[in-house]
Amino acid sequence: MRVLHLEDDTLDAGLVREFLRLGGLDCRIDRVWTRVDYTEALASGGYDIVLADHQLPDFDGVAALAIARARAPALPFIFVSGAFGEELAVEAMRHGATDYVVKQRLERLPAVVRRALAEASERVERLRAEAALRASEEQFRTLADNIHQFAWMADASGSIYWYNRRWFDYTGTTFETVRGWGWQCVHHPDHLDRVLREFRRCVETGEPWEDTFPLRGVDGDYRWFLSRARPIRDADGHIVRWFGTNTDVTAQREAEAALRRLNETLEQRVVDAITEREAMLAKLHEAQKLETIGHLTGGFAHDFNNLLTPIIGNLDLLRRRLGDNDRAQRLIAGALQGAERAKTLVQRLLAFARRQVLEPRPVDVGRLVEGMRDFVGRSIGPQIQLEVAVPADLPAARVDPTQLELALLNLAVNARDAMPDGGTLTIAVDCERVGRDHPSGLRHGDFLRVAVSDTGTGMSAAVLARAIEPFYSTKEVGKGTGLGLSMVHGLAAQSGGTLTLASTPGAGTRAEIWLPVASEQAETPTPSARDEPVRSRPVTILLVDDEALVRTTTAGMLTDLGHRVIEAGSGAQALACLERLSDGACPDLVITDFLMPAMNGAELAREIRARHPDLPILLATGYASLTGNAMADLPLLPKPFQQAELAATIARLIAGRAERHPA
């Protein structure tokens, strides 16, 4: 959350920052205290809320509020002042302030800020909903005025209150002349009594209405129209309005029987076509949404991992230099643990958005499921009880761990949606030997079974039969893509296993992911905070990164390992360095970021290899979407990393170069 704080007192600014932190608010606070700086900050945009003192050196809070309302009317504005009385508070609210907090009661500030942000969010959502409603109404008018039929609506008593444009184009009437029951003026007198009698009977009984009769056009000639009307009912079954259409059937009057059959077939084809088109548009919309989420997540990961890199790197260096200071080591270990959890959270978000580079390997599924307990619990909410049953000494399964996490998240979210009033979600892991003719259809052998069971609404046999079809969903529009179970099924099948589903309406659903047991043992992760760096022989390294803070931290870790570092802030600077060092002083290794202005890491690698084919290049990046041939042969070190990971990777690359080019 970005906060613009208008405060000239450094002590008060620090208190506000501390109370926001104690209140659990993650804030980036920009503090200003002059009119010029405040106006420039507002103009730059990007703030979520303004906190302002009332008494300032060159202007006051009321003037600041006026500036904010002129430049950012929807931005929440809260006075935080020690000079606030009741009259001043009333005056501030009258001028449009969101709220106020006296400095003697700063413990109220987090709650007031949360409320202001919630109200602002509600206003934005309301405006978005109103805009969507206007767009929907305009879309309806466009559709209604461009269909070939006359369309009209009547109230429950049969009095017509709306026609589309084609009605007026044909009849030449005005709404004032035909509203209510005035439409009789364009009916042929020989048919009018029958039409009125039949329409009134349908209005009284609630039966759909259908009739054929002539209507007079603006030229005075009559044409035959097939008219249909259907009652629209509310949730209690009461008729609230009628929707009708008139279709010109003059040319087919002589063959009325054949025309009726044709109309029924045509009507069904039109309905099917519209249904299919709407389904395809919905699929396209969901696909575009997923693509957008993927792009946003990739950019988010790059920025967030760049922030975590100096945090983890500097903490790692600090931990090693403080030696036996137990209290400092405990504090640093706690900070490192928090940073590593943030790193894991980013990886899981990337997996959920399908923007992560993935590969199968032997995985301790029990450890993976236990590690996801908190993440799944937060995803399903407190109203659902989560139970995890993982026995000890389970064998490893060969699977992509991030895809398996994604599959479990998909199943957990489906279970949550099936339990709107709460319930129990159970994740159980066990090992089973599959023999011939097993109900799962798997080949014989040992399999690990991950079962996700809920106590929700369940599925009917018809829905269960189609549950794994891509884009098939029984959820409301906007609440599901129809891809979740098909993704889980695809993961299980590609891993050599399968997905089985069992469900009973009203009794819940059980999904089982069967994965073949791996022949290798799963790697046991060692707590990264205790890893000691592998020190290779000192080498010269060209370090390329456009983020100065990340570059400085990485250079510090490399220097601490004994290496000589040449820094470059862009691809162009790196190439210039290589040109200057081309007289035999070429570096032993290049470490480069991927996402940089003008020239990214892959493009820089191609340029370097054109000049120095044997020079090792390491891609150290927090960017997620690196799939493609350009990245296929580059070693990758994901950001953020600790010194031990960096040292081990460098040692491996230097050793590999030595094997290829022995002295």
Side-chain angles (χ1 to χ4, degrees), residues 32-44:
V32 297
W33 55 85
T34 68
R35 180 191 294 267
V36 173
D37 291 344
Y38 171 72
T39 304
E40 289 178 353
L42 278 178
S44 68

Side-chain angles (χ1 to χ4, degrees), residues 221-234:
D221 294 335
Y222 285 89
R223 296 181 66 84
W224 285 87
F225 289 84
L226 171 65
S227 184
R228 290 193 177 103
R230 295 289 185 270
I232 309 300
R233 301 177 184 273
D234 60 17

Side-chain angles (χ1 to χ4, degrees), residues 515-596:
L515 300 169
V517 170
S519 57
E520 310 98 318
Q521 293 290 326
E523 297 180 1
T524 302
T526 304
S528 57
R530 299 182 180 275
D531 288 345
E532 290 297 329
V534 177
R535 297 185 179 270
S536 59
R537 65 177 179 83
V539 296
T540 299
I541 297 173
L542 175 58
L543 175 62
V544 189
D545 201 307
D546 63 313
E547 291 283 347
L549 184 59
V550 176
R551 190 172 67 248
T552 300
T553 301
T554 307
M557 289 192 284
L558 293 171
T559 303
D560 186 69
L561 292 171
H563 302 304
R564 175 175 175 255
V565 181
I566 303 171
E567 297 185 34
S570 66
Q573 290 182 15
L575 294 177
C577 288
L578 288 175
E579 290 295 332
R580 291 196 298 270
L581 298 173
S582 59
D583 55 351
C586 184
D588 302 287
L589 173 67
V590 175
I591 301 177
T592 178
D593 189 18
F594 173 73
L595 196 61
M596 298 184 294

